[in-house]
Amino acid sequence: MPRRPWIIRRIFRMPVAAETSDQYSVWVGLIYIFNLIVGTGALTLPAAFARAGWGLSTISLVFLAFMSFMNATYVVETMACANAVFKWKRLQFIKRNSVQENESDEEGTSQNYGDMEDPLVCGDSIPSRYYSLDNRIELGEMANLFLNKTGRTMFYCTLCVYLYGDLSIYSAAVSKSLMDVICTTIPSNMTNTSDWDVLPCFVSPGTSQYTRFECYRIALLTFFGVMGPFVFFNVQKTKYLQLFTSGMRWLAFAIMITMAIHLLIVYGPQGRPPAFDFTGMPTLFGACVYSFMCHHSLPALISPIRGKSRLNLHLSLDYALISIFYLLLAFTGAFAFANLNDLYTLNFVPTDNENIFLEIVEYFLALFPVFTLSTSFPIIAITLRNNLQSLFLDTSRLESYNFVLRKLIFPVVAVIPPLLLTYFLEDISILIKFTGSYAGTGIQYLMPTFLVLSARRHCSNLLGLGVVNKYKSPFSNIAWAVFVLMWSFMCIILVSVNMFERR
């Protein structure tokens, strides 16, 4: 009796392709990628832009956008390689199974084998038989497939450090936003930002003299008390929540750009950023890397796209539009305000305004990070928790571990370090500089490059040089990969030297 196809699929399980109902057009996919990249990282660009100078910042932003795009094409190529490896292994499994069954029932097995093989190797060209982007294969799975044990450990450690930095930046941004809304507005003649935190939160007579930093800590503890418990569950964003937060994000960015342009027209340029100031380069580098980060989430967004034949071209268009948007946001902010906060929305803190509509807009902008980051915080915390489990536990037998180890230890380990870090350190620029310059460099530059080099070598040995990857990066020459690695290490060294010199 020939073995049924469903039994074979169950024995050798491939990553599941996106259902037809879940697929979307390439333009919808590019909108999702656009929304993924243009997030809260963009709020840190105006201050970093002003510190490094408008000329240096423009050149650096365009160059780092190109570097990010290059490594995004590396992720796409590696994902296609991973699909090819899984297809090849499944085909070999089917062939071996067919040969074994052929001894007992040659005719029935031959028909069954043909039915299973045809959908797998159909197509007019060799690349269509193996390379595709239909099955979602995450970066962690690619690391497990193409990297050795040391490489996998480095990948998970880098990803965890980046996610820890993300959680720290999110919690500090939310707490500072709440503090600025609750506390009395800082006097306009206060120009030394280092003295702001020791000011009393309320200056009205008869009120308790809590400092702004103490109110920041209270807001931080409240935030973790409300959002922290979600890390113990499998919480996922719904489609409508994504649409809601995306709409709020675009409304906030449009308002900030419009208000900055209005200030420039009415009052003229208040900011006087220099053309070039290399001392601000480390912060700018971290902000740009953080603002162009999407690589760890690309597989989930790419696999459901229909018609991926010109995906790299569409990605380049996405990056060009994002660069223009960032330059518009940074230029208007750097010249409209004399003093810029690390988080751009803090420049729009509510004031005693007679115009009710304008006051509502100011409150909306001030609370914008609270709304958007609060919805993302549990998802990132759960992602960190899962990666920590993958690093230290055997996820294939997760249920065999005791309840405390499975359900309690890793959620607590995911949440407590960001809480302790931001409790004593509320400087977002330092968090961004470290997260973007170190962990961000690893996730955005180093890991995609190492993965694509290993994937190319693996697929060449497995499939042969004659099988062409139609999703191959346009930067496939080895010189580009060497350039990315040299650039990454040089940036890490320069940032490290700058950080130690400032101590």
Side-chain angles (χ1 to χ4, degrees):
M1 184 81 181
R3 188 173 299 178
R4 296 180 181 178
W6 67 268
I7 297 179
I8 294 179
R9 286 196 298 268
R10 187 174 181 179
I11 294 174
F12 192 91
R13 183 184 176 191
M14 274 191 61
V16 181
E19 297 290 339
T20 304
S21 59
D22 295 332
Q23 292 183 340
Y24 40 74
S25 68
V26 65
W27 298 109
V28 173
L30 293 180
I31 291 174
Y32 285 162
I33 295 173
F34 194 101
N35 287 336
L36 173 67
I37 297 177
V38 182
T40 53
L43 299 178
T44 66
L45 278 177
F49 196 90
R51 290 191 188 112
W54 59 268
L56 179 61
S57 297
T58 301
I59 297 172
S60 301
L61 190 145
V62 173
F63 175 72
L64 291 174
F66 169 75
M67 296 293 290
S68 178
F69 165 70
M70 185 195 306
N71 283 274
T73 64
Y74 285 171
V75 173
V76 173
E77 180 180 345
T78 307
M79 184 178 169
C81 289
N83 271 270
V85 171
F86 277 115
K87 283 187 177 183
W88 184 88
K89 288 184 176 180
R90 180 170 180 259
L91 180 58
Q92 299 308 308
F93 177 85
I94 293 173
K95 285 182 178 179
R96 287 195 301 269
N97 184 77
S98 177
V99 170
Q100 292 174 0
E101 293 188 353
N102 189 48
E103 298 177 356
S104 59
D105 190 353
E106 181 176 356
E107 182 179 354
T109 304
S110 300
Q111 179 65 39
N112 181 259
Y113 168 63
D115 291 341
M116 289 181 290
E117 184 185 24
D118 285 343
L120 195 64
V121 298
C122 64
D124 299 330
S125 60
I126 292 178
S128 65
R129 299 182 181 181
Y130 296 105
Y131 293 102
S132 72
L133 301 173
D134 298 330
N135 299 304
R136 187 184 71 186
I137 303 175
E138 300 291 351
L139 279 183
E141 296 176 87
M142 299 181 203
N144 293 334
L145 190 62
F146 296 123
L147 299 181
N148 55 26
K149 184 177 180 180
T150 303
R152 292 194 298 270
T153 302
M154 290 180 62
F155 168 82
Y156 280 110
C157 289
T158 304
L159 182 61
C160 289
V161 170
Y162 177 78
L163 293 176
Y164 270 126
D166 246 4
L167 293 177
S168 301
I169 293 170
Y170 281 19
S171 54
V174 169
S175 303
K176 288 191 72 172
S177 299
L178 288 172
M179 175 194 70
D180 278 288
V181 170
I182 294 172
C183 295
T184 305
T185 305
I186 297 173
S188 58
N189 59 355
M190 280 288 297
T191 57
N192 188 1
T193 58
S194 62
D195 296 335
W196 290 0
D197 295 334
V198 299
L199 291 175
C201 184
F202 307 104
V203 296
S204 302
T207 56
S208 300
Q209 292 304 306
Y210 288 105
T211 65
R212 294 175 63 86
F213 189 63
E214 288 172 338
C215 287
Y216 161 82
R217 286 181 168 178
I218 294 173
L220 178 69
L221 294 174
T222 303
F223 174 72
F224 271 90
V226 174
M227 306 308 300
F230 284 101
V231 75
F232 291 92
F233 308 99
N234 290 322
V235 181
Q236 295 183 359
K237 291 181 181 177
T238 65
K239 175 182 178 180
Y240 299 104
L241 183 59
Q242 291 183 25
L243 292 175
F244 174 72
T245 54
S246 296
M248 290 187 62
R249 179 189 301 124
W250 281 108
L251 178 61
F253 282 127
I255 291 174
M256 285 185 286
I257 292 175
T258 303
M259 292 183 69
I261 293 175
H262 174 75
L263 291 174
L264 286 172
I265 294 174
V266 175
Y267 301 105
Q270 300 297 307
R272 297 289 190 274
F276 290 85
D277 186 351
F278 288 93
T279 60
M281 189 61 190
T283 302
L284 177 67
F285 175 73
C288 288
V289 170
Y290 192 65
S291 299
F292 283 110
M293 181 65 69
C294 67
H295 304 70
H296 55 297
S297 300
L298 272 180
L301 297 178
I302 288 175
S303 57
I305 293 178
R306 296 189 300 267
K308 308 180 184 72
S309 58
R310 305 178 71 183
L311 182 62
N312 286 331
L313 177 62
H314 290 121
L315 273 177
S316 66
L317 176 62
D318 233 1
Y319 270 90
L321 292 175
I322 290 168
S323 300
I324 294 172
F325 174 80
Y326 280 170
L327 288 173
L328 180 62
L329 180 72
F331 258 104
T332 55
F335 284 95
F337 296 95
N339 298 293
L340 280 167
N341 287 281
D342 294 328
L343 198 66
Y344 190 42
T345 51
L346 298 181
N347 283 89
F348 301 90
V349 293
T351 57
D352 295 330
N353 204 309
E354 296 181 357
N355 190 322
I356 301 298
F357 175 75
L358 188 58
E359 190 170 359
I360 292 174
V361 169
E362 290 175 342
Y363 270 103
F364 169 72
L365 292 178
L367 292 173
F368 164 69
V370 179
F371 298 136
T372 56
L373 300 185
S374 295
T375 57
S376 301
F377 185 90
I379 310 303
I380 295 178
I382 291 170
T383 303
L384 175 60
R385 180 201 69 189
N386 294 339
N387 279 280
L388 289 172
Q389 289 178 337
S390 300
L391 180 61
F392 294 104
L393 302 179
D394 184 357
T395 53
S396 63
R397 58 182 189 91
L398 195 60
E399 296 300 322
S400 64
Y401 296 99
N402 62 66
F403 176 81
V404 173
L405 193 59
R406 283 188 297 112
K407 298 293 185 180
L408 299 181
I409 296 296
F410 287 99
V412 171
V413 171
V415 171
I416 294 301
L419 172 61
L420 294 177
L421 178 62
T422 52
Y423 187 83
F424 296 101
L425 177 67
E426 48 80 33
D427 191 342
I428 298 178
S429 64
I430 295 178
L431 296 173
I432 292 171
K433 186 187 299 184
F434 181 83
T435 303
S437 300
Y438 292 105
T441 299
I443 295 297
Q444 189 169 151
Y445 298 150
L446 297 178
M447 287 306 163
T449 304
F450 285 130
L451 281 172
V452 76
L453 292 177
S454 300
R456 289 171 185 170
R457 182 172 61 253
H458 189 94
C459 287
S460 296
N461 295 334
L462 195 68
L463 305 175
L465 296 175
V467 183
V468 180
N469 184 355
K470 60 183 178 181
Y471 298 103
K472 195 171 186 178
S473 170
F475 311 99
S476 57
N477 192 295
I478 189 65
W480 286 109
V482 173
F483 173 70
V484 173
L485 296 178
M486 292 178 61
W487 161 255
S488 302
F489 288 123
M490 181 184 70
C491 288
I492 291 175
I493 292 172
L494 291 177
V495 170
S496 301
V497 170
N498 181 274
M499 290 180 70
F500 282 112
E501 284 181 349
R502 290 190 168 216
R503 289 185 176 182

